[in-house]
């Protein structure tokens, strides 16, 4: 079966050549999937896509006209796919629901530690023979209250690590996860979570309900100097409100692995270009902001799982069976 792999990077090619079933014929396409690039999938039966590929109704319609019958997401989140349109067109959609929650959880904790202990600054200082400690003062994680919004696979993996640090866990989700309660985490309403948490970390999906969950109003309800971490999806927070929160010192630390307009930026080397996004560039001016370019998933173990499960999803489609990873059958 021929599969057009959009937004393909070297590590995708390496992963699929090493771990995917050899009966699948992957055609690697550097471009993102958008209305302007759908024609590159001509002659294929399926497309394989990542977080910033666009699968809105118009794109799906074009893909359907080209004979595409399946969308294989090589990620867990699916906010970029119009599932209703796919269903109406008879296009099957499958994802990799849990390739490595620990990969994202560990990056989340890495961001917390780096921001708190200012490791990014210490690294540069010591290389410059500057061993002064002024400006590097941190705080103990032990005994601090961490608010987790979203306690599915990644939220739980994050909670397990934080519990090891001796943190108090306040959690919020629309469905309680018993494993969180077993760990000692307590489910609370958002108001209590905002009012009490020293650190808030987002692990819920982007949906119409969660878009701009973090806005001026919710930021106002947080503790002064709060640490805010988003490794989930950019549009969970309103970046302009967050900039205001940083300017007013309400937000003491900000860690982002995702950004609402990241499709125009992330996964490419733009170091020789002028970046037009003033909001993004403003965020980068703050000394207490750490941004990584959607790399939380990026571990060897996760890439192996992604290529294997994507391969299984495609083979199941080819043999008219299912894997349980289907969002639209
Ligand atoms: P999951 O489905 O296991 O868990 C998500 C949790 O969020 C569920 O428990 C769900 O009930 C909860 N939720 C849904 N709506 C909510 C709401 N309105 N308020 C509070 N909680 C709500 O998903 P997961 O595997 O833990 O992944 C979470 C998110 O992480 C994904 O949706 C994706 O956006 C993001 N992600 C990011 C990376 C990265 O590299 N940065 C990698 C993988 C996933």
């Amino acid at each position: 079966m021929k599969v057009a792999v959009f937004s393909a990077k070297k590590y995708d090619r390496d992963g699929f050549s090493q771990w995917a079933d050899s009966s699948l014929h992957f055609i690697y396409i550097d471009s993102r999937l958008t209305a302007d690039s759908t024609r590159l999938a001509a002659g294929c039966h399926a497309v394989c896509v990542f977080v910033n590929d666009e699968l809105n109704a118009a794109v799906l319609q074009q893909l359907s006209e080209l004979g595409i019958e399946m969308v294989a997401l090589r990620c867990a989140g699916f906010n970029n796919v119009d599932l209703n349109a796919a269903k109406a067109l008879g296009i099957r959609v499958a994802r990799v629901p849990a390739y490595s929650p620990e990969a994202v959880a560990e990056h989340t904790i890495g961001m917390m530690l780096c921001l708190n202990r200012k490791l990014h600054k210490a690294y540069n200082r010591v290389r410059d023979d500057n061993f002064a400690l002024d400006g590097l003062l941190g705080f103990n994680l032990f005994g601090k209250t961490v608010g987790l919004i979203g306690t599915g696979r990644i939220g739980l993996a994050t909670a397990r690590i934080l519990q090891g640090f001796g943190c108090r866990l306040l959690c919020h989700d629309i469905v309680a996860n018993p494993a969180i309660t077993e760990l000692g985490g307590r489910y609370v309403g958002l108001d209590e979570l905002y009012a009490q948490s020293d650190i808030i970390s987002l692990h819920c999906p982007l949906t119409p309900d969660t878009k701009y969950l973090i806005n001026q109003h919710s930021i106002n309800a947080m503790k002064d100097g709060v640490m805010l971490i988003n490794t989930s999806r950019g549009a969970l927070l309103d970046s302009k409100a967050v900039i205001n929160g940083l300017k007013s010192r309400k937000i003491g630390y900000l860690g982002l692995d995702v950004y609402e307009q990241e499709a125009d930026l992330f996964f490419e080397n733009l170091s020789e270009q002028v970046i037009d996004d003033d909001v993004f560039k403003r965020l980068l001016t703050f000394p207490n902001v750490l941004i990584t370019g959607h790399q939380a998933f990026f571990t060897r173990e996760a890439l192996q799982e992604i290529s294997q499960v994507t391969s299984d999803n495609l083979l199941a489609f080819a043999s008219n069976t299912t894997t349980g990873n289907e969002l639209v059958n």
Side-chain angles (χ1 to χ4, degrees):
M1 182 168 65
K2 275 174 127 182
V3 184
V5 183
F6 281 88
S7 304
K9 300 288 176 203
K10 182 178 179 301
Y11 46 82
D12 296 309
R13 294 166 203 246
D14 292 349
F16 282 127
S17 64
Q18 225 178 327
W19 303 109
D21 189 280
S22 57
S23 69
L24 296 168
H25 180 43
F26 293 103
I27 293 157
Y28 297 103
I29 299 165
D30 293 342
S31 331
R32 276 198 306 129
L33 175 60
T34 65
D36 295 331
S37 61
T38 46
R39 65 196 156 71
L40 299 173
C44 293
H45 304 99
V47 292
C48 177
V49 296
F50 199 49
V51 291
N52 291 326
D53 291 306
E54 289 170 16
L55 293 112
N56 54 35
V59 169
L60 288 163
Q61 176 68 43
Q62 288 181 33
L63 290 175
S64 173
E65 285 164 15
L66 288 172
I68 297 295
E69 294 173 285
M70 174 166 187
V71 171
L73 289 155
R74 50 183 195 281
C75 52
F78 50 90
N79 51 285
N80 52 336
V81 188
D82 185 332
L83 296 180
N84 290 331
K87 192 168 186 172
L89 291 162
I91 296 179
R92 170 135 105 178
V93 182
R95 64 173 176 147
V96 186
Y99 49 81
S100 180
E102 289 75 21
V104 183
E106 289 169 16
H107 190 80
T108 302
I109 302 296
M111 295 195 100
M112 289 178 192
L113 290 170
C114 184
L115 277 166
N116 171 17
R117 306 305 291 264
K118 305 176 174 59
L119 301 179
H120 51 308
K121 293 185 182 178
Y123 174 84
N124 287 323
R125 272 195 199 184
V126 169
R127 288 175 77 90
D128 200 25
D129 296 333
N130 175 356
F131 306 107
L133 298 182
D134 344 77
L136 300 184
L137 189 66
F139 60 84
N140 285 6
L141 276 178
F142 180 82
K144 292 294 178 298
T145 299
V146 183
L148 298 173
I149 304 182
T151 54
R153 298 174 186 92
I154 296 171
L156 176 62
T158 307
R160 285 202 183 104
I161 304 173
L162 290 168
Q163 207 250 358
F165 276 105
C167 294
R168 176 175 166 246
L169 300 175
L170 294 183
C171 300
H172 181 81
D173 199 307
I174 48 172
V175 185
N177 182 345
I180 286 281
T181 321
E182 279 166 34
L183 268 182
R186 191 161 67 83
Y187 280 98
V188 295
L190 281 176
D191 287 346
E192 186 175 348
L193 186 145
Y194 292 145
Q196 292 202 25
S197 300
D198 302 295
I199 300 173
I200 296 175
S201 191
L202 308 178
H203 301 290
C204 56
L206 176 62
T207 66
D209 284 344
T210 59
K211 184 166 186 197
Y212 293 162
L213 178 74
I214 304 302
N215 52 43
Q216 203 61 64
H217 180 73
S218 49
I219 292 168
N220 290 344
M222 293 175 193
K223 267 186 158 178
D224 289 344
V226 64
M227 179 186 288
L228 188 59
I229 307 283
N230 185 10
T231 57
S232 204
R233 283 293 179 265
L236 290 179
L237 51 82
D238 174 353
S239 301
K240 288 186 180 152
V242 165
I243 288 172
N244 288 337
L246 286 158
K247 284 164 78 176
S248 69
R249 290 21 172 208
K250 182 61 143 177
I251 298 174
Y253 312 78
L254 176 70
L256 302 179
D257 186 52
V258 286
Y259 172 64
E260 185 174 4
Q261 308 301 337
E262 69 176 51
D264 298 330
L265 301 169
F266 287 4
F267 305 120
E268 302 299 333
N269 177 1
L270 304 181
S271 56
E272 298 296 319
Q273 295 186 30
V274 172
I275 290 178
D276 293 323
D277 185 331
D278 291 343
V279 173
F280 186 73
K281 292 307 272 184
R282 179 66 176 110
L283 281 169
L284 285 174
T285 64
F286 294 96
N288 48 354
V289 172
L290 175 67
I291 302 182
T292 52
H294 209 136
Q295 73 171 85
F297 75 99
F298 199 52
T299 65
R300 267 193 293 280
E301 293 79 0
L303 289 186
Q304 176 178 339
E305 189 69 12
I306 286 171
S307 37
Q308 282 185 340
V309 175
T310 303
S311 168
D312 291 347
N313 290 342
L314 287 159
L315 291 173
F317 164 69
S319 61
N320 216 11
T321 54
T322 54
T323 56
N325 297 329
E326 291 76 19
L327 297 162
V328 176
N329 246 327

